[in-house]
Amino acid sequence: MKEEDRRRSPRMPRQAGARARKLLTGLGTALTTPTAHGEALLARAASPWVRWLPYLVALALVAVLLPVTIVVLVNDYHVNGPIAGALATAQATPLLLAVSRPLQAWWVIFTADVAGGFAMLVADDHHELPWPWTPMVVIGYLFLMFALGLRESRRALLGVWLMTGFAGAVFEAISPGRPGDGVIVLLFVLSGIVLLLTSTLRGRGEAERRLVEQETISEAERARRTLLEERARIARELHDVVAHHMSVITVQADSAPYRIPGLPDAAVEEFASIAGGARESLAEMRRLLAVLRSEGTEGERAPQPGLDRLQQLVEATVRAGVPAELALAADLGEVPQAVDLSAYRIVQEALANVVRHAPGATTRVSVRADDAGGWLTVLVVNGPATEPASPVERGTGTGHGLVGMRERVRLTGGSLDTGPLPDGGFRVAARLPLAEQPPAGRPPTEPPLTDAADSTVSSISNNSTDSTDSKGAP
């Protein structure tokens, strides 16, 4: 056991020495490798005055410290004039460089400060003066520490602090017990405090900046997910519309040989092929619907609503505390099922937004076709809220309202115009094509919301006692 301990004991000093060499190598690399970017302090600030502030402070320090250092070195420390001028210049002017490249500036200033300490040691006959760092050196060095703490790595800051302490220890060893050398401890402590505080502030700022960037990315992902979810929901709803047409095709193709006597065999085979293709298409649509159906949507079995249920929808909105009126044209003609469903959903989303964000606001809903019969216009206008919105109601939105409206309008080839009104209300205007191929050109301009003579107008107030069923209301 003792022999094993003797074999292990030489390894411990070697391991400690290897760690020490690794640490010194890392500190040396950090001190000689500044940050890759030369971005100035506060360069990302929004205000130009804040961006220029570090330069102004550095310029003010140079303007004050440079002449004062020369005068103090010459008059108080009896340093030769040219040497004092060179030392003062090397100690003060690199502060301007510290704004963008603090590590390079530190090497110049640190070397000049050490040289100044030796020059004062040789020339000074008054040992009671601060040494080896003059008050001007302390002021400029602390500003330099501030710039370093906001820019360089923690390992570089540790190296700078240790080098500062090492230089002070060397001067203390050269001239021990000097009355004015308490500034060595002062600068060592103050520089460590400044480096610690500034590096902590920088770390917090970087964490907040990364958090903001992550929130921006998350917001973009949420918007993208909302769009995809809304598209999937619209696709599920349109399944019923497409499935109805495919079912009609299947029935017509299967029954054609019985309804049309004397069909040639080739025509019978063609109808059978059409019916088989339609059935296969229906099966593929059911598989697609199973993919699109998300959790919690198993109950979507009711028939899709249309314009014929707008009356119930508006009545339900009135019961929710929103005075609303409906103007529904009586001669809309044949409305495609996709447009019929999209128009209902647009009104539903618009009224839900009124209930949620503008409680008590007077609301008008108008649905009519243009004179040429090519476009269906859906208009929902509400005034300003008459009572404050409930925080609970504000937080119940899914974020799908306007996104869903835009997707439904884009799907049918129409246009959507939404935005606030001067009186504090909001306007939603959608124009949907009534034909399979939208008319050429842009949709017509929305006419004023007035009751046409050929329209069925339903005005509903808050004290309505109508008990009409309101299935499908939001």
Side-chain angles (χ1 to χ4, degrees):
M1 187 68 179
K2 293 182 179 179
E3 186 176 353
E4 184 179 353
D5 291 340
R6 283 196 300 270
R7 288 198 304 268
R8 290 182 179 178
S9 59
R11 298 179 183 176
M12 297 179 63
R14 287 198 298 268
Q15 291 176 354
R19 293 193 186 97
R21 286 193 299 272
K22 184 177 180 180
L23 176 61
L24 292 176
T25 302
L27 292 176
T29 303
L31 287 175
T32 56
T33 308
T35 53
H37 56 80
E39 186 180 79
L41 300 177
L42 305 181
R44 299 184 182 182
S47 173
W49 288 104
V50 177
R51 292 196 297 269
W52 280 101
L53 182 61
Y55 290 101
L56 296 176
V57 173
L59 183 61
L61 287 174
V62 172
V64 173
L65 296 180
L66 181 59
V68 173
T69 302
I70 295 175
V71 172
V72 170
L73 289 179
V74 172
N75 294 338
D76 296 341
Y77 292 89
H78 308 120
V79 178
N80 182 269
I83 297 178
L87 290 173
T89 302
Q91 290 174 354
T93 53
L95 294 177
L96 293 173
L97 178 64
V99 175
S100 57
R101 291 176 172 81
L103 192 59
Q104 293 92 324
W106 175 80
W107 277 108
V108 178
I109 293 177
F110 179 73
T111 304
D113 290 345
V114 173
F118 283 108
M120 290 184 291
L121 179 64
V122 174
D124 184 22
D125 295 332
H126 307 282
H127 296 296
E128 70 277 2
L129 294 175
W131 177 87
W133 321 125
T134 64
M136 293 73 67
V137 167
V138 173
I139 294 174
Y141 204 78
L142 292 181
F143 174 80
L144 181 60
M145 295 298 102
F146 179 83
L148 280 167
L150 293 179
R151 182 64 70 239
E152 299 299 331
S153 65
R154 294 183 183 274
R155 180 170 291 185
L157 299 183
L158 177 60
V160 167
W161 188 58
L162 293 178
M163 288 288 288
T164 304
F166 176 75
V170 170
F171 281 118
E172 178 66 24
I174 293 174
S175 180
R178 187 181 178 111
D181 61 3
V183 71
I184 293 176
V185 178
L186 178 66
L187 181 62
F188 183 67
V189 173
L190 289 180
S191 62
I193 293 175
V194 172
L195 289 175
L196 179 62
L197 291 178
T198 51
S199 63
T200 302
L201 289 175
R202 184 190 66 182
R204 180 177 178 180
E206 290 178 351
E208 292 178 351
R209 185 164 54 252
R210 287 194 297 267
L211 180 60
V212 171
E213 293 175 355
Q214 187 62 39
E215 288 178 350
T216 303
I217 296 174
S218 299
E219 185 64 28
E221 287 296 326
R222 281 195 296 269
R224 180 175 177 271
R225 185 171 62 250
T226 298
L227 178 62
L228 294 178
E229 290 176 355
E230 188 62 22
R231 287 179 176 177
R233 186 167 77 99
I234 294 173
R236 291 195 304 268
E237 291 180 352
L238 288 178
H239 166 268
D240 292 345
V241 176
V242 179
H244 169 72
H245 292 299
M246 296 299 297
S247 299
V248 171
I249 294 174
T250 304
V251 172
Q252 288 180 334
D254 280 335
S255 62
Y258 305 99
R259 292 183 291 104
I260 306 174
L263 283 177
D265 293 340
V268 173
E269 292 179 359
E270 186 68 21
F271 278 120
S273 176
I274 293 174
R279 278 190 290 269
E280 290 180 3
S281 298
L282 278 174
E284 294 296 332
M285 285 188 59
R286 293 189 185 97
R287 297 189 186 98
L288 175 62
L289 183 63
V291 173
L292 293 177
R293 190 177 299 280
S294 58
E295 295 182 3
T297 60
E298 289 78 2
E300 296 177 0
R301 307 299 186 192
Q304 298 296 343
L307 295 176
D308 57 337
R309 297 182 62 180
L310 283 182
Q311 180 77 19
Q312 300 175 16
L313 180 62
V314 174
E315 290 174 357
T317 304
V318 171
R319 288 193 293 271
V322 175
E325 64 178 18
L326 170 65
L328 179 61
D331 57 346
L332 293 178
E334 183 178 355
V335 179
Q337 286 182 293
V339 174
D340 193 35
L341 173 60
S342 297
Y344 176 88
R345 292 301 189 194
I346 290 172
V347 175
Q348 184 183 43
E349 295 287 358
L351 292 179
N353 286 337
V354 175
V355 173
R356 187 177 298 116
H357 302 291
T362 301
T363 305
R364 295 175 295 168
V365 180
S366 173
V367 179
R368 67 190 60 198
D370 64 352
D371 295 337
W375 295 93
L376 179 71
T377 300
V378 179
L379 182 64
V380 181
V381 180
N382 65 272
T386 59
E387 55 188 73
S390 170
V392 177
E393 287 294 335
R394 285 199 301 265
T396 57
T398 61
H400 292 208
L402 292 178
V403 175
M405 294 181 194
R406 294 190 187 97
E407 286 302 304
R408 292 181 186 279
V409 168
R410 187 182 66 84
L411 173 71
T412 57
S415 66
L416 180 69
D417 179 22
T418 62
L421 298 175
D423 63 352
F426 201 83
R427 177 177 186 268
V428 174
R431 301 168 185 86
L432 309 174
L434 291 174
E436 294 183 2
Q437 295 294 332
R442 300 183 61 183
T445 304
E446 166 60 25
L449 181 60
T450 58
D451 296 336
D454 55 352
S455 297
T456 301
V457 180
S458 302
S459 298
I460 309 169
S461 60
N462 273 320
N463 55 6
S464 173
T465 59
D466 190 355
S467 59
T468 304
D469 183 21
S470 59
K471 293 180 181 179

